[in-house]
C-alpha cells in the first residue's frame, strides 16, 4: 500500500481543524473566554436542586386550590371587575412553607396582597373598560392575563392550573435553596431527607457556596465576571408583541446552537396579540431546553423579588450565571429612566440575562440580550443594540417597577 503524500496529509489536517472550529468558544472583549459554546457543556457537580417528586401532601394542596377554582368558575367571566377576577383566579398554594400564587409565582406576600396588586394593575391598564394606550412590546399585562384566563372553559382552566401548580410543587426545593443561600432563611428540619434532588453524591447542593464562605453568599463571593451564550446568537422581535417568543428563541438557541423561528416559539408560549406571560416563559424553558437540568439551573421558577434588596438581587443573578451557567428571564418594565436607549416609555418586557461584571469601586454591570428594536417599527426612532451591557441597579429598579416584580430563574 502506498503512503499518503504530504499534500494529502496537510489537506486532511486542515479539514479536521475546520470541522472542529465551530465548537471552539470565541474570545474577545465580550466573552473574555467565558462563553459556553452551547448548553450541552460537560456535567458539573450539582449547584441546585432538580425536579422533586409530587408528594401526597402537595397533591392534596393542589386539589384544594383547584376546588376553590371550581367554586368560583360559574361567576368568573371576562366581564367581571378586576377585583372579582383577581380574587377568583390569583389563588395561592402553600408547599412546605413556601407560597406559590397562580400567575405570579413564588412570593412572600399574603394571598390578599397578591390579589390586591393584580387587581390594581389590571384596573390601571384599562379606563372605563378600554385599554390604556401604551407602547406594547409583548408582556401580558394583568388585565389581559385575567381576561384570557377567565375566558377559558372551566375544565381547560383547571387543567392548566393543575400543570402550573404541579411544576411549582416539584420545584420547591430549589426555592428553599435560593432563599437559604442568598437571604439566609434556615432550611426546615428534615429538608435534605425529603429532597434527595437537592443533593449530589450525598452532599447538599447549597454547600457549593455557603460552605465556602460560612454564611449566605453575597456578590463578593463570586467571580468578577461571568458571561454565557454567544453574542452572535441574537434576534430582534419580528412583531411588536413578540418579546417573549424572541427571548425564548435566543434562550433555546443558546442551548441547542440551532435557531428556531419566532413563530414556533409564539405557538409554544400561547402568545396572543396581548403578549406572553412570565409563567409560560418559565414553562417552555423547562419543557424545550436543557437549562433546567440539575447540572445547570435546575427547574426554572417564577420568583417574586419584591422583598429582595439590590444586594440579594445581584447575588441571585451571579449565582445563576457563574454557578448555574444558565440564562435568566429578566422581566422589567421598559421605562426611559431605567433604559436610556428608549425613545418612549413602554410596557412590561422580557430580556435574556447572560452576564455580569464587577470592578472595585465601580457599579456592577449586567449583560442581556434585548429583543426590542423600536426602529424596526418606527424608522424615526433610535436603533437598539441586541447585546447590552448596562448598570445592574437600573435593571433591578426596572424589575421592581413592574407590577409583578418577578423574574424567571
Amino acid at each position: 500500500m502506498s503512503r499518503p503524500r504530504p499534500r494529502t496529509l496537510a489537506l486532511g489536517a486542515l479539514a479536521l481543524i475546520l470541522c472542529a472550529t465551530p465548537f471552539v468558544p470565541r474570545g474577545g472583549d465580550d466573552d473574555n473566554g467565558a462563553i459556553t459554546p452551547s448548553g450541552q457543556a460537560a456535567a458539573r457537580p450539582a449547584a441546585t436542586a432538580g425536579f422533586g417528586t409530587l408528594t401526597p401532601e402537595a397533591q392534596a394542596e393542589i386539589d384544594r386550590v383547584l376546588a376553590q377554582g371550581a367554586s368560583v368558575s360559574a361567576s368568573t367571566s371576562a366581564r367581571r371587575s378586576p377585583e372579582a377576577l383577581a380574587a377568583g383566579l390569583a389563588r395561592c398554594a402553600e408547599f412546605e412553607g413556601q407560597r406559590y400564587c397562580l400567575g405570579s409565582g413564588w412570593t412572600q406576600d399574603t394571598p390578599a396582597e397578591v390579589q390586591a396588586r393584580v387587581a390594581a394593575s389590571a384596573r390601571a391598564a384599562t379606563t372605563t373598560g378600554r385599554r390604556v394606550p401604551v407602547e406594547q412590546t409583548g408582556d401580558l399585562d394583568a388585565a389581559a392575563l385575567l381576561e384570557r384566563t377567565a375566558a377559558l372553559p372551566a375544565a381547560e382552566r383547571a387543567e392548566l392550573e393543575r400543570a402550573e401548580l404541579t411544576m411549582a410543587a416539584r420545584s420547591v426545593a430549589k426555592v428553599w435553596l435560593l432563599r437559604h443561600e442568598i437571604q439566609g432563611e434556615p432550611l426546615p428540619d428534615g429538608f435534605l431527607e425529603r429532597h434527595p434532588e437537592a443533593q449530589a453524591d450525598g452532599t447538599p447542593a447549597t454547600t457549593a457556596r455557603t460552605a465556602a464562605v460560612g454564611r449566605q453568599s453575597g456578590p463578593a463571593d463570586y467571580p468578577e465576571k461571568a458571561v454565557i451564550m454567544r453574542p452572535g446568537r441574537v434576534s430582534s422581535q419580528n412583531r411588536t408583541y413578540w418579546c417573549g417568543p424572541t427571548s425564548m428563541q435566543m434562550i433555546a438557541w443558546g442551548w441547542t446552537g440551532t435557531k428556531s423561528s419566532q413563530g414556533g416559539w409564539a405557538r409554544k408560549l400561547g402568545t396572543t396579540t396581548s403578549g406572553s406571560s412570565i409563567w409560560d416563559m418559565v414553562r417552555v424553558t423547562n419543557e424545550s431546553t436543557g437549562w433546567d437540568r440539575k447540572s445547570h439551573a435546575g427547574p426554572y421558577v417564577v420568583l417574586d423579588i419584591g422583598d429582595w434588596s439590590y444586594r440579594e438581587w445581584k447575588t441571585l443573578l451571579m449565582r445563576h450565571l457563574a454557578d448555574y451557567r444558565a440564562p435568566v428571564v429578566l422581566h422589567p418594565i421598559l421605562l426611559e429612566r431605567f433604559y436610556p436607549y428608549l425613545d418612549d416609555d413602554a410596557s412590561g418586557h422580557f430580556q435574556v440575562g447572560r452576564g455580569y461584571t464587577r470592578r472595585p469601586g465601580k457599579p456592577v454591570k449586567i449583560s442581556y440580550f434585548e429583543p426590542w428594536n423600536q426602529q424596526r417599527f418606527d424608522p424615526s426612532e433610535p436603533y437598539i443594540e441586541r447585546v447590552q451591557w448596562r448598570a445592574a441597579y437600573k435593571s433591578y429598579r426596572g424589575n421592581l417597577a413592574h407590577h409583578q416584580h418577578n423574574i424567571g430563574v
Side-chain angles (χ1 to χ4, degrees):
M1 183 180 296
S2 62
R3 294 182 180 180
R5 296 181 179 180
R7 183 169 180 268
T8 304
L9 291 172
L11 289 173
L14 178 60
L16 287 173
I17 292 172
L18 291 174
C19 289
T21 298
F23 301 97
V24 178
R26 291 180 292 176
D29 294 338
D30 182 78
D31 62 53
N32 197 25
I35 286 181
T36 303
S38 76
Q40 318 221 356
R44 299 174 297 106
T48 184
F51 281 101
T53 58
L54 188 64
T55 65
E57 294 79 10
Q59 185 62 70
E61 179 66 357
I62 292 171
D63 292 341
R64 180 190 69 80
V65 176
L66 292 178
Q68 284 182 337
S71 67
V72 301
S73 61
S75 60
T76 302
S77 73
R79 294 186 296 275
R80 297 294 298 272
S81 70
E83 290 75 16
L85 287 174
L89 300 176
R91 307 185 311 282
C92 302
E94 300 284 336
F95 298 117
E96 298 188 36
Q98 298 286 353
R99 178 174 298 118
Y100 185 90
C101 297
L102 289 164
S104 296
W106 296 98
T107 182
Q108 302 282 52
D109 288 347
T110 67
E113 289 171 335
V114 171
Q115 290 167 5
R117 184 171 73 243
V118 171
S121 180
R123 189 167 289 282
T126 58
T127 301
T128 62
R130 295 184 179 180
R131 188 77 56 191
V132 174
V134 63
E135 188 163 25
Q136 292 286 344
T137 71
D139 171 41
L140 199 63
D141 67 33
L145 179 60
L146 289 175
E147 291 165 4
R148 185 183 75 171
T149 306
L152 292 172
E156 183 178 349
R157 183 164 68 244
E159 182 181 354
L160 293 174
E161 289 177 343
R162 182 178 294 279
E164 181 176 351
L165 292 170
T166 298
M167 187 173 286
R170 295 186 60 208
S171 62
V172 67
K174 177 179 177 178
V175 178
W176 266 115
L177 289 179
L178 286 174
R179 287 188 169 148
H180 170 65
E181 181 180 78
I182 298 173
Q183 295 187 301
E185 191 171 339
L187 293 175
D189 293 340
F191 174 79
L192 294 174
E193 289 74 14
R194 290 193 304 275
H195 292 287
E197 73 273 17
Q199 302 183 52
D201 301 324
T203 303
T206 188
T207 61
R209 284 284 169 195
T210 53
V213 299
R215 51 175 168 75
Q216 68 263 32
S217 61
D221 301 314
Y222 289 83
E224 289 190 357
K225 185 173 183 178
V227 185
I228 63 169
M229 304 207 307
R230 291 178 175 177
R233 293 175 176 172
V234 293
S235 299
S236 62
Q237 56 197 83
N238 295 334
R239 300 186 183 184
T240 56
Y241 52 90
W242 271 11
C243 69
T246 311
S247 293
M248 195 62 242
Q249 179 189 47
M250 293 186 283
I251 289 170
W253 195 357
W255 175 260
T256 65
T258 301
K259 183 180 182 181
S260 300
S261 73
Q262 293 178 24
W265 293 114
R267 287 188 291 274
K268 288 188 177 184
L269 290 166
T271 303
T272 68
T273 54
S274 297
S276 311
S277 74
I278 180 71
W279 150 246
D280 285 316
M281 292 292 295
V282 164
R283 173 184 62 80
V284 175
T285 299
N286 286 336
E287 292 174 353
S288 301
T289 76
W291 295 118
D292 66 335
R293 292 180 183 175
K294 193 174 177 179
S295 57
H296 283 279
Y300 272 68
V301 298
V302 179
L303 188 66
D304 182 350
I305 54 87
D307 63 329
W308 288 57
S309 68
Y310 172 51
R311 180 180 183 276
E312 292 169 337
W313 186 88
K314 276 191 301 185
T315 306
L316 176 64
L317 264 64
M318 290 177 179
R319 173 71 153 140
H320 218 275
L321 296 166
D323 286 351
Y324 297 169
R325 305 292 297 162
V328 175
V329 183
L330 296 173
H331 193 208
I333 183 169
L334 285 187
L335 302 179
E336 287 184 85
R337 65 179 182 271
F338 304 132
Y339 302 97
Y341 50 72
L342 296 172
D343 205 33
D344 305 284
D345 286 345
S347 66
H349 189 57
F350 296 111
Q351 300 159 335
V352 183
R354 44 84 68 167
Y356 72 85
T357 183
R358 60 182 178 85
R359 299 175 185 175
K362 294 185 178 181
V364 173
K365 288 186 176 182
I366 64 168
S367 178
Y368 55 89
F369 292 158
E370 172 60 271
W372 179 242
N373 179 19
Q374 56 202 2
Q375 192 181 76
R376 182 168 193 154
F377 309 106
D378 183 349
S380 68
E381 294 187 342
Y383 175 79
I384 299 175
E385 295 283 352
R386 301 283 69 72
V387 181
Q388 293 286 335
W389 280 97
R390 296 283 170 174
Y393 183 69
K394 287 193 174 183
S395 284
Y396 167 70
R397 294 293 301 169
N399 197 172
L400 278 183
H402 192 288
H403 77 276
Q404 287 187 312
H405 41 69
N406 54 25
I407 193 170
V409 291

